[in-house]
């Protein structure tokens, strides 16, 4: 199964979160952010990975997923 563009947008947004700090969140401004990132934030919220539909903080599940995203990035960046 391939990643769809929507999935990649969600992964890219998750990659912006700092996994080392549960006190750092993100805000995706609906009027100035890329519409794809606004949609990604809404989907991540519906999936229970972030606390607000416009960003917020990672949920416990979101924190777990971000750790996996970072591992995938590390593997893909290695040569």
């Amino acid at each position: 199964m391939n990643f769809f563009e929507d999935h990649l947008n969600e992964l890219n947004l998750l990659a912006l979160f700092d996994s080392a700090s549960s006190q750092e969140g993100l805000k995706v401004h609906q009027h100035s952010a890329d519409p794809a990132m606004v949609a990604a934030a809404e989907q991540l919220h519906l999936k229970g990975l972030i606390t607000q539909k416009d960003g917020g903080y990672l949920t416990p599940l979101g924190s777990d997923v971000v750790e996996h995203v970072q591992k995938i990035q590390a593997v893909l960046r290695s040569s």
Side-chain angles (χ1 to χ4, degrees):
M1 179 176 149
N2 293 329
F3 285 108
F4 294 106
E5 187 173 344
D6 294 346
H7 297 149
L8 293 174
N9 291 333
E10 291 173 24
L11 291 169
N12 284 327
L13 186 58
L14 285 170
L16 296 176
F17 281 91
D18 181 2
S19 66
S21 173
S22 62
Q23 301 300 316
E24 254 185 80
L26 290 178
K27 174 76 171 171
V28 180
H29 296 276
Q30 194 163 22
H31 296 100
S32 59
D34 180 344
M37 289 297 109
V38 172
E42 290 174 357
Q43 287 301 308
L44 291 172
H45 176 65
L46 288 173
K47 294 173 182 175
L49 300 178
I50 58 177
T51 59
Q52 303 291 320
K53 71 176 189 170
D54 62 351
Y57 300 94
L58 292 169
T59 64
L61 175 61
S63 292
D64 290 342
V65 172
V66 166
E67 287 181 27
H68 291 291
V69 168
Q70 291 172 342
K71 287 177 184 176
I72 292 168
Q73 286 178 317
V75 169
L76 294 176
R77 287 184 184 137
S78 67
S79 45

